[in-house]
Amino acid sequence: QFGPLIGDRILSELANFLRMRTPVTSVLGRVRGSVLAVAFEDTMRALTVAEQVSNVRDQIPSYLKIEGQSISVDLVFGAVTVG
């Protein structure tokens, strides 16, 4: 509906948003297309991964303003633990 340039801007805005709201020890990257991933460090002494994901998810706005347009943001979250 909005085109690939607007889609890239949305991803960039969301990446910046996530970068500011995740721990400095986490790593954020674009996996492919519209898929972003956040890798959290070992959380044995801190919040669980599910709690961290929930905290970030609750802060994401339902709309982003890009080039004067309010665009609805619909995100899906998942969590994987290794170890």
Side-chain angles (χ1 to χ4, degrees), residues 52-70:
Q52 290 183 59
V53 169
S54 180
N55 289 343
V56 171
R57 182 188 58 225
D58 292 345
Q59 296 178 47
I60 293 177
S62 56
Y63 288 89
L64 289 176
K65 194 145 186 110
I66 307 284
E67 295 183 8
Q69 299 181 66
S70 279

Side-chain angles (χ1 to χ4, degrees), residues 3-81:
L5 292 177
I6 296 295
D8 285 345
R9 289 277 312 276
I10 291 170
L11 286 173
S12 178
E13 293 288 328
L14 287 173
N16 289 333
F17 186 90
L18 290 170
R19 194 174 296 115
M20 299 300 295
R21 287 164 178 81
T22 53
V24 294
T25 55
S26 63
V27 177
L28 174 66
R30 187 174 181 179
V31 177
R32 65 176 167 76
S34 62
V35 179
L36 300 174
V38 179
F40 295 99
E41 72 171 336
D42 180 16
T43 59
M44 294 302 288
R45 288 173 273 146
L47 295 174
T48 67
V49 171
E51 289 170 324
Q52 290 183 59
V53 169
S54 180
N55 289 343
V56 171
R57 182 188 58 225
D58 292 345
Q59 296 178 47
I60 293 177
S62 56
Y63 288 89
L64 289 176
K65 194 145 186 110
I66 307 284
E67 295 183 8
Q69 299 181 66
S70 279
I71 299 173
S72 176
V73 176
D74 186 22
L75 303 172
V76 176
F77 288 86
V80 175
T81 57

